[in-house]
Amino acid sequence: MTEKDAGAAGQAAPEPLLVAEKVVSGYIPEVNILNGCDLTLAEGEVVAVIGPNGAGKSTLVKTMFGLIPVRSGSIRLKDAPITNLTAHELVSRGVGYVPQTQNVFPSLSVEENLEMGLYLRPKQWNKRFEFVCGLFPLLGERRKQKAGALSGGERQMVAMGRALMMDPSVLMLDEPTAGLSPKFQDEVFEQVKQINSSGVSIVMVEQNARRCLQIADRGYVLDQGRNAYTGTGAELLHDPKVIELYLGTLAKVD
Ligand SMILES: Nc1ncnc2c1ncn2[C@@H]1O[C@H](COP(=O)(O)OP(=O)(O)OP(=O)(O)O)[C@@H](O)[C@H]1O
Ligand SMILES: [Mg+2]
């Protein structure tokens, strides 16, 4: 049983919040990368997206965040269709996204990076800054420092903090622990749990698949742009096929 399963045992099934159905998308005309992906994130969940390099994990979150056009299929947020809305519109509807790479402005200070996250609602600065610094006290201490001068783990806090400035109901994280030392990776997983406990539902793409499935309510294994396996974190962690095909090879050596 995962940490989350233990907590959720006996509770009613939560409402679907973000639903992607049969999504087809790609970068180059007539070359589809996603070939009919499904993903459901229910209210309060952490959902893991794992799979080999090039499987389409980043493409899936980018598509759900409106950065790549949906060629067919649909995406909805609660009961509202959001297929092919722009990222800007999605942010104003409570969807946050932290990209896999280049997710801070290195020449700007920590504070300026967080301000960029709140450009749609500048009046809420005090309240949101306090919230984000409650989660990541270091960001308050380093508020005047340039983001480019921070360590990888600290930069990841800035990136997550920036997405949290808009008080999202859904946060999509693309490989937040990539390139971090095991100690920092563990901190990020703890922070993700804390963000989730504060009421934010989370889709998390991860290369550290085992650790991610331990904190996830459910997981999706993508392979070649398709759903290969789906289940609770615990089911996937113990599925011999998933272990053989994905968990073994995904245990990257740092
Ligand atoms: N900007 C792009 N233009 C064209 N093709 C792209 C682009 N980005 C990704 N692709 C292709 O889409 C496929 C899926 O890439 P994607 O980045 O979604 O994989 P991923 O599962 O996130 O992999 P990783 O674990 O390496 O991050 C790959 O074949 C990749 O070459
Ligand atoms: Mg990726």
Side-chain angles (χ1 to χ4, degrees):
M1 191 180 274
T2 65
E3 294 167 32
K4 288 282 299 220
D5 284 342
Q11 287 171 16
E15 292 289 311
L17 185 55
L18 180 69
V19 181
E21 271 176 345
K22 299 191 175 68
V23 170
V24 175
S25 72
Y27 303 87
I28 300 164
E30 290 171 45
V31 180
N32 294 334
I33 299 296
L34 298 185
N35 293 295
C37 275
D38 297 316
L39 182 145
T40 297
L41 172 71
E43 194 102 43
E45 278 190 321
V46 174
V47 160
V49 179
I50 62 170
N53 296 123
K57 305 178 298 294
S58 294
T59 305
L60 176 60
V61 286
K62 282 192 256 180
T63 306
M64 291 194 294
F65 193 63
L67 298 173
I68 305 172
V70 175
R71 292 178 178 166
S72 68
S74 66
I75 304 174
R76 60 174 208 271
L77 184 65
K78 290 217 164 165
D79 293 326
I82 57 164
T83 315
N84 288 329
L85 289 191
T86 63
H88 181 78
E89 287 166 317
L90 292 173
V91 168
S92 69
R93 286 174 186 235
V95 182
Y97 164 66
V98 179
Q100 183 170 353
T101 53
Q102 297 175 330
N103 54 21
V104 298
F105 298 96
S107 61
L108 300 183
S109 69
V110 167
E111 191 173 82
E112 287 163 341
N113 266 277
L114 297 180
E115 275 170 15
M116 298 291 282
L118 200 63
Y119 70 101
L120 290 171
R121 290 184 204 145
K123 285 191 180 146
Q124 292 180 13
W125 168 259
N126 285 343
K127 193 171 139 213
R128 295 310 299 163
F129 185 66
E130 203 173 299
F131 174 82
V132 166
C133 291
L135 274 175
F136 307 115
L138 185 125
L139 298 186
E141 292 158 24
R142 304 275 180 91
R143 62 192 287 179
K144 299 291 176 201
Q145 197 166 333
K146 294 253 187 292
L150 300 175
S151 73
E154 292 163 351
R155 269 204 297 270
Q156 196 58 45
M157 289 183 214
V158 176
M160 291 202 279
R162 192 177 72 230
L164 287 169
M165 288 302 282
M166 280 293 285
D167 196 9
S169 53
V170 173
L171 183 60
M172 296 195 272
L173 303 171
D174 194 351
E175 302 218 9
T177 73
L180 302 184
S181 67
K183 177 179 164 285
F184 268 130
Q185 291 194 14
D186 250 22
E187 276 183 28
V188 170
F189 284 113
E190 285 307 314
Q191 287 154 358
V192 168
K193 275 166 42 181
Q194 241 182 304
I195 294 168
N196 179 239
S197 306
S198 79
V200 183
S201 308
I202 295 175
V203 177
M204 184 179 189
V205 175
E206 252 303 314
Q207 35 101 35
N208 190 342
R210 277 178 194 281
R211 184 74 182 88
C212 188
L213 290 174
Q214 283 168 357
I215 68 154
D217 294 282
R218 292 183 307 105
Y220 291 85
V221 183
L222 292 196
D223 203 341
Q224 296 180 37
R226 289 192 168 81
N227 292 61
Y229 292 87
T230 305
T232 64
E235 282 165 358
L236 293 176
L237 273 172
H238 296 109
D239 184 322
K241 271 278 169 227
V242 173
I243 294 170
E244 182 196 333
L245 291 172
Y246 304 103
L247 295 181
T249 53
L250 280 171
K252 284 183 192 166
V253 179
D254 286 314

